[in-house]
Amino acid sequence: MSRVPSWLGQVGAELTRMGERLDQRRAEAEAEDGPLRVATRDSVPPPPAHAPAAAPEPDPSAAIPWGMRVAGEAAWRLLVLAGTLWVLMRVIGAVQLVVLAFVLGLLITALLQPTVAWLKRYGVPRGLATALTAIAGFVIMGLVGWFVVWQVMENIDDVSNRVTQGINELKAWLLNSPFHVTEAQINDIAKTLSDAVGSNTEKITSAGLQGLTVLLEVLTGMFLAMFSTLFLLYDGSKIWNWSLKFVPAQAREGVAGAGPRAWHTLTAYVRGTVLVALIDAVFIGLGLYFLDVPLAVPLAVFIFLGAFVPLVGALFSGALAVVVALVTQDVFTALMVLLVVLGVQQIEGHVLQPFILGRAVRVHPLAVILSVAAGSLVAGIAGAVVAVPLVAVTNTVVGYLRAYSQEQSLRDSPPPHGATAHATAPTPSPGPVTPATVAAPDVSGASPAPEPDPGPAPAPGPAAPPAPSVRPATAEAGDGTA
C-alpha cells in the first residue's frame, strides 16, 4: 500500500513534464509562424493585406449639371434683389407723399434750372437768380390755375344749360328713333338713377370727406415740392456731391459720371414734354374756340396737363373734349373736334416728339405703356406721370454704367507683351547705312543706337526673300513692345 502514493506522484510529475513540453513546443511554433488565432463564431476575419482601394465619393456639386448650378446661383441672387426691392417699395409706400413731392420738385427744377444758369451768366448772384426764377415760375403756375378755375366758374351755368338742352334733345331723339323707346321707359331710367343717388348719399358724403383729405395731402405735397425746388435750384450740385458719399468708393467714380447724364436726360424730357404739351394745348384750344365749344380754355389746360402722361393722358383729354362738344353742340361739331384732336396728336407723335426730344429720351412704346400702367397701379396719376422719365433716366444710367464697366475692364487688363504685328511685319532688307542716317526717336525719348556699316555690297546674285526686321526695345520697355 505504501507504493501507491509514490506511483501516483510519478504519474503526476510525468503529466506535468508533458504539459511543459507541449507549452514549449507551442511557444516555438508561435515564434516561427506568428500568433495563432482561433476563429470563433463571434469573431470577424481580418481583411486581406492588399484589399482593393475604393473610389473616392465625388463632390455633390460636381454631380449637378453646370446649367442647373448657374440657374441656382442666379436664382438666389434674384431672390435677394426681389426682397430688397420689395422692402424698398414698402418704405416708399409709407412715405409716398414725400417721395412724390421730391420727384415733382426734381421735374420743376429740371424745367427752371436753365433760367437760373442764364441769369448767372449775366452776373446775377446765385441766391437772387434762384429766388427770381422760383418766384416767377410759381406765380405763373398759380395764375394759370386761377385762370382755369375762373373760366370754369364763369361758364358753368352755360354748360349746365347746354347739358340740359342736350339731354332733352337726346330724349326726343330716342322717342322718335327706330328703337321704339317709350317715355315711360325713359322716366323709369331717370327714376332708377335718382334712387341710386339717394341710396348712396352716405357713400357720396364719405367720398366728399375723403376728397377733403386728398385736398389737404395735395396742398402738403405742393408745399414740399416748392420747398424742394427752391433748395435744388440753389444747392443742387452740393446736394449731389453729398449724396455721393453714401456710394461705395469702388463704384463712386461710375455713379459720379452717370449723374450728369441722367440729369441731362431728365431735363431734355421735361423741356421737350412741356413744349409738346404747350403746342397741343394751343392748337386744340384754338380748334375748340373756332368750333364754339364752351370751356375751350379749361379744356386746353386739361390737354396740356394730360400730355405729361404719355399715350393715356392724350387719349382721355381728347375724349373729354369730344364729349363736351357732343353734349353742348351736336354730332357734327363733335366729329370736327375729334378730327382736330387726332390731327394734332398725329403731328405730335410723328413730327414734334422725334424733332424736339430726339434720341435723348428714346424709349420703346411697349416700355412706355408698361411703365405707365405700373406707375398708375403703384401711385395713381402721380405714378403715371413719373413712370416714363424714371424709365428714361434708368435706361441712360444703365447704358453708361455698362460702357464704363467695359472701359474699366479694358483699362485694368495687362498690356500686350512681345512685338506687335506691325513691328514684326516683313519688310525689305535695309540698304547700306550712311553716317548721315539718323534714327527716329522712340516714344520714350531715347534714340536707338545707329546700325553698323555692313561693308561693301556683295556681288549680285539670286534674290533672297525679305527678312523680317524687328525694332529694338527701348530702355524703359524691356518687354519688346514696339
Side-chain angles (χ1 to χ4, degrees), residues 201-213:
T201 304
E202 296 181 357
K203 295 182 179 179
I204 294 174
T205 304
S206 62
L209 295 176
Q210 187 177 3
L212 292 176
T213 305

Side-chain angles (χ1 to χ4, degrees), residues 215-228:
L215 180 61
L216 291 177
E217 291 181 355
V218 169
L219 293 177
T220 305
M222 291 176 61
F223 175 76
L224 291 175
M226 293 171 60
F227 199 73
S228 302

